[in-house]
Amino acid sequence: LGLMNWLRIAAMKATAMIELWKPVIRWKRFYEVSNLGRIRSVSRVIQRSNGRPMTVRSRVMRTPIGSHGYKCCNLTREGVSKTHCVHALVAAAFIGPRPRGLEVRHKNGRKINCRASNLHYGTVAQNQADSKRHGTNARGERNGAAKLTARNVRRIRRLAGSRTQADLAEEYNVSDSAISLVVSRKNLAWL
């Protein structure tokens, strides 16, 4: 039984490692995308600025992580370059066109895992629920723009009856309205 399980697992791993390539939708003659989340240019002949032809060889492209945390790539055609998220290209090629009102979801919550097996379509609400479940939502202190920590919020609520909102706002370097929203639990209500 142990050998059978080992063979089954080995077969699954071998199948998972096979890389399949499909044309990138709307860029068919120029780029291909793989089920493992890689992008490559297609070999082709282009015309240089001096009018002479030049052969561009196929190559796997770099996919740096953008400011939003997703892998990106620049696709260029006829001198025009456009940035695309890799997960969206993989999903379009291997799952199908994205239905209206849906977005690409990462099953494991890792934005940089662009394998086709990790992607599916879902609603905005489903995607937000995923981020809460995976702990990847930028809520509270994890938000780069947050000025107040959970500890600060609790202290502000404790002191709200004995000090003015203006005093608290000055102490924590936020606006009076920010203090008001924290005290009334309209902001950071989960704390």
Side-chain angles (χ1 to χ4, degrees), residues 126-146:
Q126 290 171 324
N127 212 2
Q128 289 172 344
D130 288 348
S131 71
K132 284 180 186 175
R133 188 174 64 253
H134 295 126
T136 56
N137 58 336
R139 185 174 169 176
E141 296 173 46
R142 287 189 297 241
N143 185 325

Side-chain angles (χ1 to χ4, degrees), residues 146-167:
K147 290 188 175 184
L148 298 173
T149 65
R151 188 178 186 178
N152 295 149
V153 169
R154 287 187 202 97
R155 185 169 183 270
I156 288 168
R157 287 185 181 143
R158 248 191 352 264
L159 297 174
S162 61
R163 293 185 51 195
T164 66
Q165 289 184 1
D167 270 352

Side-chain angles (χ1 to χ4, degrees), residues 47-119:
Q47 191 169 9
R48 298 164 112 180
S49 58
N50 63 6
R52 291 186 173 169
M54 178 177 102
T55 301
V56 177
R57 293 192 350 221
S58 177
R59 68 175 179 87
V60 174
M61 301 176 62
R62 288 180 48 242
T63 53
I65 298 171
S67 59
H68 42 62
Y70 294 100
K71 285 186 175 182
C72 296
C73 64
N74 287 320
L75 304 183
T76 305
R77 167 175 58 200
E78 298 163 2
V80 178
S81 182
K82 188 168 180 187
T83 302
H84 292 273
C85 288
V86 174
H87 67 278
L89 298 175
V90 173
F94 288 93
I95 301 172
R98 182 175 53 88
R100 184 182 296 267
L102 299 185
E103 51 189 43
V104 180
R105 296 166 57 198
H106 293 78
K107 292 177 185 176
N108 68 358
R110 295 188 62 227
K111 292 179 178 183
I112 62 171
N113 183 345
C114 297
R115 291 173 180 248
S117 61
N118 186 48
L119 305 174

Side-chain angles (χ1 to χ4, degrees), residues 10-54:
M12 284 173 38
K13 285 183 180 178
T15 304
M17 295 309 290
I18 295 173
E19 189 165 23
L20 304 172
W21 292 90
K22 289 187 175 184
V24 173
I25 308 297
R26 295 190 198 99
W27 298 80
K28 290 183 180 178
R29 294 186 350 251
F30 303 94
Y31 297 96
E32 294 178 329
V33 61
S34 88
N35 61 323
L36 300 182
R38 299 193 316 156
I39 308 290
R40 72 179 176 194
S41 59
V42 174
S43 293
R44 60 189 179 275
V45 176
I46 62 169
Q47 191 169 9
R48 298 164 112 180
S49 58
N50 63 6
R52 291 186 173 169
M54 178 177 102

